[in-house]
Short mmCIF file of all heavy atoms in Angstrom, two decimals:
data_model
loop_
_atom_site.label_atom_id
_atom_site.label_comp_id
_atom_site.label_asym_id
_atom_site.label_seq_id
_atom_site.Cartn_x
_atom_site.Cartn_y
_atom_site.Cartn_z
N LEU A 162 159.90 60.17 102.93
CA LEU A 162 160.31 60.60 104.29
C LEU A 162 161.63 60.01 104.72
O LEU A 162 162.55 60.71 105.17
CB LEU A 162 159.23 60.24 105.30
CG LEU A 162 159.59 60.44 106.79
CD1 LEU A 162 159.88 61.96 107.08
CD2 LEU A 162 158.41 59.97 107.70
N VAL A 163 161.74 58.67 104.52
CA VAL A 163 162.99 58.00 104.93
C VAL A 163 164.12 58.40 104.06
O VAL A 163 165.24 58.69 104.53
CB VAL A 163 162.80 56.46 104.90
CG1 VAL A 163 164.09 55.76 105.32
CG2 VAL A 163 161.65 56.06 105.86
N LEU A 164 163.91 58.40 102.75
CA LEU A 164 165.01 58.79 101.79
C LEU A 164 165.47 60.20 101.98
O LEU A 164 166.66 60.51 101.90
CB LEU A 164 164.52 58.52 100.38
CG LEU A 164 164.10 57.07 100.03
CD1 LEU A 164 163.63 56.96 98.56
CD2 LEU A 164 165.25 56.11 100.30
N GLY A 165 164.49 61.11 102.20
CA GLY A 165 164.83 62.50 102.35
C GLY A 165 165.63 62.74 103.65
O GLY A 165 166.52 63.58 103.68
N THR A 166 165.26 61.98 104.69
CA THR A 166 166.01 62.06 105.96
C THR A 166 167.46 61.64 105.76
O THR A 166 168.40 62.28 106.24
CB THR A 166 165.32 61.21 107.04
OG1 THR A 166 164.00 61.65 107.20
CG2 THR A 166 166.13 61.30 108.35
N ALA A 167 167.64 60.54 105.08
CA ALA A 167 168.98 60.05 104.77
C ALA A 167 169.83 61.05 103.98
O ALA A 167 170.99 61.33 104.29
CB ALA A 167 168.98 58.68 104.10
N ALA A 168 169.19 61.53 102.92
CA ALA A 168 169.90 62.49 102.05
C ALA A 168 170.25 63.78 102.77
O ALA A 168 171.36 64.33 102.57
CB ALA A 168 169.05 62.79 100.80
N THR A 169 169.33 64.28 103.61
CA THR A 169 169.57 65.51 104.35
C THR A 169 170.68 65.31 105.38
O THR A 169 171.55 66.14 105.56
CB THR A 169 168.27 65.99 105.07
OG1 THR A 169 167.26 66.26 104.09
CG2 THR A 169 168.52 67.25 105.88
N PHE A 170 170.64 64.19 106.08
CA PHE A 170 171.69 63.87 107.07
C PHE A 170 173.07 63.86 106.40
O PHE A 170 174.04 64.46 106.97
CB PHE A 170 171.41 62.55 107.71
CG PHE A 170 172.43 62.14 108.74
CD1 PHE A 170 172.47 62.67 110.02
CD2 PHE A 170 173.41 61.21 108.40
CE1 PHE A 170 173.42 62.31 110.93
CE2 PHE A 170 174.34 60.80 109.32
CZ PHE A 170 174.34 61.35 110.60
N ILE A 171 173.17 63.25 105.28
CA ILE A 171 174.48 63.19 104.59
C ILE A 171 174.91 64.59 104.17
O ILE A 171 176.12 64.96 104.30
CB ILE A 171 174.35 62.25 103.39
CG1 ILE A 171 174.22 60.78 103.84
CG2 ILE A 171 175.65 62.39 102.50
CD1 ILE A 171 173.94 59.82 102.77
N ARG A 172 173.99 65.42 103.64
CA ARG A 172 174.37 66.76 103.24
C ARG A 172 174.83 67.59 104.41
O ARG A 172 175.75 68.39 104.28
CB ARG A 172 173.15 67.41 102.58
CG ARG A 172 172.92 67.00 101.12
CD ARG A 172 171.66 67.61 100.58
NE ARG A 172 171.66 67.51 99.10
CZ ARG A 172 171.35 66.42 98.43
NH1 ARG A 172 171.03 65.32 99.06
NH2 ARG A 172 171.37 66.41 97.09
N LEU A 173 174.24 67.41 105.57
CA LEU A 173 174.64 68.14 106.79
C LEU A 173 176.01 67.62 107.24
O LEU A 173 176.87 68.42 107.65
CB LEU A 173 173.59 67.98 107.87
CG LEU A 173 172.26 68.72 107.65
CD1 LEU A 173 171.27 68.30 108.69
CD2 LEU A 173 172.49 70.26 107.72
N GLU A 174 176.20 66.32 107.21
CA GLU A 174 177.46 65.68 107.72
C GLU A 174 178.64 66.08 106.74
O GLU A 174 179.77 66.16 107.25
CB GLU A 174 177.29 64.21 107.79
CG GLU A 174 176.52 63.71 109.01
CD GLU A 174 177.20 64.02 110.28
OE1 GLU A 174 178.35 63.61 110.45
OE2 GLU A 174 176.63 64.75 111.17
N THR A 175 178.42 66.23 105.50
CA THR A 175 179.46 66.52 104.58
C THR A 175 179.58 68.01 104.26
O THR A 175 180.27 68.41 103.30
CB THR A 175 179.23 65.74 103.20
OG1 THR A 175 177.93 66.04 102.70
CG2 THR A 175 179.35 64.25 103.45
N ASP A 176 178.87 68.83 105.07
CA ASP A 176 178.91 70.27 104.92
C ASP A 176 178.47 70.84 103.57
O ASP A 176 178.95 71.88 103.12
CB ASP A 176 180.36 70.79 105.23
CG ASP A 176 180.81 70.48 106.67
OD1 ASP A 176 179.95 70.59 107.55
OD2 ASP A 176 181.97 70.17 106.87
N GLN A 177 177.60 70.07 102.91
CA GLN A 177 177.04 70.58 101.66
C GLN A 177 176.06 71.68 101.96
O GLN A 177 175.74 72.50 101.09
CB GLN A 177 176.36 69.45 100.92
CG GLN A 177 177.27 68.36 100.44
CD GLN A 177 176.55 67.26 99.67
OE1 GLN A 177 175.69 67.61 98.86
NE2 GLN A 177 176.90 66.02 99.90
N VAL A 178 175.52 71.69 103.16
CA VAL A 178 174.53 72.73 103.63
C VAL A 178 174.61 72.79 105.14
O VAL A 178 175.06 71.86 105.78
CB VAL A 178 173.10 72.34 103.15
CG1 VAL A 178 172.57 71.15 103.85
CG2 VAL A 178 172.14 73.53 103.28
N THR A 179 174.13 73.91 105.70
CA THR A 179 174.11 74.05 107.18
C THR A 179 172.65 74.10 107.58
O THR A 179 171.73 74.48 106.83
CB THR A 179 174.82 75.31 107.63
OG1 THR A 179 174.13 76.44 107.11
CG2 THR A 179 176.23 75.30 107.16
N PHE A 180 172.40 73.73 108.86
CA PHE A 180 171.04 73.73 109.40
C PHE A 180 170.41 75.12 109.40
O PHE A 180 169.20 75.27 109.23
CB PHE A 180 171.01 73.16 110.79
CG PHE A 180 169.61 72.89 111.32
CD1 PHE A 180 168.83 71.92 110.86
CD2 PHE A 180 169.06 73.80 112.28
CE1 PHE A 180 167.52 71.72 111.30
CE2 PHE A 180 167.81 73.61 112.76
CZ PHE A 180 167.00 72.58 112.25
N ASP A 181 171.21 76.16 109.57
CA ASP A 181 170.71 77.53 109.56
C ASP A 181 170.01 77.83 108.27
O ASP A 181 169.04 78.58 108.23
CB ASP A 181 171.84 78.52 109.82
CG ASP A 181 172.36 78.48 111.23
OD1 ASP A 181 171.68 77.91 112.13
OD2 ASP A 181 173.48 78.95 111.50
N ILE A 182 170.58 77.34 107.16
CA ILE A 182 169.97 77.58 105.82
C ILE A 182 168.64 76.81 105.66
O ILE A 182 167.73 77.30 105.03
CB ILE A 182 170.96 77.16 104.77
CG1 ILE A 182 172.18 78.10 104.78
CG2 ILE A 182 170.30 77.21 103.34
CD1 ILE A 182 173.27 77.73 103.78
N LEU A 183 168.56 75.65 106.33
CA LEU A 183 167.34 74.80 106.20
C LEU A 183 166.25 75.27 107.14
O LEU A 183 165.05 74.90 106.95
CB LEU A 183 167.71 73.32 106.47
CG LEU A 183 168.74 72.69 105.62
CD1 LEU A 183 168.98 71.27 106.04
CD2 LEU A 183 168.31 72.74 104.13
N LEU A 184 166.62 76.03 108.17
CA LEU A 184 165.68 76.44 109.26
C LEU A 184 164.39 77.07 108.78
O LEU A 184 163.34 76.74 109.29
CB LEU A 184 166.39 77.33 110.25
CG LEU A 184 165.60 77.67 111.53
CD1 LEU A 184 165.34 76.40 112.32
CD2 LEU A 184 166.43 78.62 112.40
N PRO A 185 164.43 77.96 107.76
CA PRO A 185 163.18 78.59 107.31
C PRO A 185 162.11 77.60 106.88
O PRO A 185 160.90 77.90 106.96
CB PRO A 185 163.64 79.47 106.16
CG PRO A 185 165.07 79.77 106.41
CD PRO A 185 165.58 78.53 107.06
N VAL A 186 162.49 76.42 106.43
CA VAL A 186 161.52 75.43 106.00
C VAL A 186 160.69 75.00 107.17
O VAL A 186 159.47 74.67 106.99
CB VAL A 186 162.26 74.20 105.36
CG1 VAL A 186 161.24 73.09 105.00
CG2 VAL A 186 162.97 74.60 104.09
N LEU A 187 161.23 74.87 108.36
CA LEU A 187 160.49 74.49 109.54
C LEU A 187 159.38 75.43 109.87
O LEU A 187 158.36 75.06 110.41
CB LEU A 187 161.43 74.32 110.74
CG LEU A 187 162.52 73.23 110.63
CD1 LEU A 187 163.38 73.23 111.91
CD2 LEU A 187 161.91 71.85 110.40
N TYR A 188 159.62 76.74 109.56
CA TYR A 188 158.61 77.76 109.83
C TYR A 188 157.42 77.55 108.89
O TYR A 188 156.33 78.12 109.12
CB TYR A 188 159.17 79.17 109.60
CG TYR A 188 160.32 79.47 110.54
CD1 TYR A 188 161.36 80.29 110.11
CD2 TYR A 188 160.35 79.01 111.87
CE1 TYR A 188 162.44 80.60 110.97
CE2 TYR A 188 161.40 79.30 112.67
CZ TYR A 188 162.44 80.09 112.23
OH TYR A 188 163.51 80.36 113.06
N LEU A 189 157.56 76.80 107.78
CA LEU A 189 156.51 76.62 106.85
C LEU A 189 155.59 75.40 107.20
O LEU A 189 154.57 75.12 106.52
CB LEU A 189 157.09 76.33 105.45
CG LEU A 189 157.90 77.45 104.81
CD1 LEU A 189 158.49 76.96 103.48
CD2 LEU A 189 157.05 78.66 104.57
N ILE A 190 155.95 74.70 108.28
CA ILE A 190 155.16 73.49 108.64
C ILE A 190 153.70 73.75 108.82
O ILE A 190 152.86 73.00 108.25
CB ILE A 190 155.77 72.80 109.90
CG1 ILE A 190 157.12 72.18 109.57
CG2 ILE A 190 154.83 71.78 110.48
CD1 ILE A 190 157.82 71.54 110.74
N PRO A 191 153.27 74.79 109.59
CA PRO A 191 151.78 75.06 109.67
C PRO A 191 151.14 75.29 108.32
O PRO A 191 150.03 74.81 108.06
CB PRO A 191 151.72 76.37 110.52
CG PRO A 191 153.02 76.32 111.31
CD PRO A 191 154.05 75.75 110.40
N LEU A 192 151.83 76.00 107.42
CA LEU A 192 151.27 76.30 106.10
C LEU A 192 151.17 75.00 105.31
O LEU A 192 150.22 74.74 104.57
CB LEU A 192 152.15 77.30 105.38
CG LEU A 192 151.66 77.84 104.03
CD1 LEU A 192 150.28 78.49 104.23
CD2 LEU A 192 152.64 78.90 103.48
N MET A 193 152.21 74.08 105.43
CA MET A 193 152.17 72.85 104.69
C MET A 193 151.05 71.96 105.28
O MET A 193 150.34 71.27 104.45
CB MET A 193 153.53 72.13 104.89
CG MET A 193 154.66 72.68 104.01
SD MET A 193 156.12 71.59 104.03
CE MET A 193 156.98 72.20 105.46
N VAL A 194 150.85 71.91 106.52
CA VAL A 194 149.83 71.07 107.11
C VAL A 194 148.43 71.52 106.57
O VAL A 194 147.59 70.71 106.15
CB VAL A 194 149.82 71.13 108.66
CG1 VAL A 194 148.55 70.47 109.26
CG2 VAL A 194 151.05 70.53 109.24
N ILE A 195 148.20 72.82 106.65
CA ILE A 195 146.87 73.34 106.15
C ILE A 195 146.71 73.03 104.65
O ILE A 195 145.65 72.56 104.24
CB ILE A 195 146.82 74.90 106.37
CG1 ILE A 195 146.80 75.20 107.85
CG2 ILE A 195 145.59 75.44 105.66
CD1 ILE A 195 146.91 76.68 108.19
N SER A 196 147.76 73.25 103.86
CA SER A 196 147.71 72.98 102.43
C SER A 196 147.45 71.54 102.12
O SER A 196 146.63 71.22 101.23
CB SER A 196 149.02 73.44 101.73
OG SER A 196 149.24 74.81 101.93
N ILE A 197 148.10 70.58 102.82
CA ILE A 197 147.92 69.16 102.54
C ILE A 197 146.59 68.71 103.00
O ILE A 197 145.92 67.90 102.28
CB ILE A 197 149.08 68.39 103.17
CG1 ILE A 197 150.43 68.71 102.55
CG2 ILE A 197 148.79 66.89 103.02
CD1 ILE A 197 151.61 68.14 103.25
N VAL A 198 146.16 69.09 104.15
CA VAL A 198 144.79 68.70 104.65
C VAL A 198 143.71 69.20 103.72
O VAL A 198 142.82 68.36 103.38
CB VAL A 198 144.57 69.30 106.08
CG1 VAL A 198 143.12 69.09 106.50
CG2 VAL A 198 145.50 68.59 107.11
N TYR A 199 143.81 70.43 103.29
CA TYR A 199 142.76 70.92 102.40
C TYR A 199 142.89 70.28 101.02
O TYR A 199 141.84 69.95 100.40
CB TYR A 199 142.96 72.47 102.21
CG TYR A 199 141.91 73.08 101.34
CD1 TYR A 199 140.54 73.13 101.74
CD2 TYR A 199 142.19 73.64 100.08
CE1 TYR A 199 139.57 73.66 100.96
CE2 TYR A 199 141.25 74.21 99.28
CZ TYR A 199 139.92 74.24 99.72
OH TYR A 199 138.99 74.80 98.89
N GLY A 200 144.16 69.97 100.59
CA GLY A 200 144.32 69.24 99.34
C GLY A 200 143.68 67.89 99.37
O GLY A 200 143.09 67.45 98.41
N LYS A 201 143.81 67.18 100.48
CA LYS A 201 143.23 65.80 100.60
C LYS A 201 141.70 65.90 100.58
O LYS A 201 141.03 65.06 99.97
CB LYS A 201 143.67 65.15 101.87
CG LYS A 201 143.11 63.73 102.01
CD LYS A 201 143.54 63.03 103.27
CE LYS A 201 142.94 61.62 103.36
NZ LYS A 201 143.34 60.88 104.56
N LYS A 202 141.13 66.95 101.24
CA LYS A 202 139.68 67.10 101.22
C LYS A 202 139.18 67.29 99.81
O LYS A 202 138.08 66.77 99.44
CB LYS A 202 139.28 68.32 102.07
CG LYS A 202 139.44 68.04 103.59
CD LYS A 202 138.92 69.20 104.42
CE LYS A 202 139.03 68.91 105.90
NZ LYS A 202 138.52 70.00 106.74
N VAL A 203 139.89 68.07 99.04
CA VAL A 203 139.51 68.28 97.61
C VAL A 203 139.67 66.93 96.84
O VAL A 203 138.81 66.57 96.05
CB VAL A 203 140.36 69.35 96.96
CG1 VAL A 203 140.08 69.44 95.48
CG2 VAL A 203 140.07 70.71 97.66
#
């Protein structure tokens, strides 16, 4: 979590990527939550 945050911040600051391109990932949060919760139960 911490390392990914640092790496993403640097990529955004150095224009390696834009937030618009990353935005679709945020829409996947509900699906990720369900998948991880169910994965832990298994």
Side-chain angles (χ1 to χ4, degrees):
L162 170 61
V163 179
L164 301 179
T166 301
T169 299
F170 178 78
I171 292 172
R172 281 175 164 78
L173 290 170
E174 284 294 303
T175 55
D176 296 323
Q177 296 181 41
V178 69
T179 63
F180 187 73
D181 290 341
I182 294 176
L183 301 179
L184 188 60
V186 175
L187 297 180
Y188 300 145
L189 297 176
I190 290 178
L192 188 56
M193 283 191 273
V194 171
I195 294 172
S196 298
I197 294 172
V198 168
Y199 184 64
K201 182 180 181 181
K202 288 184 177 181
V203 173

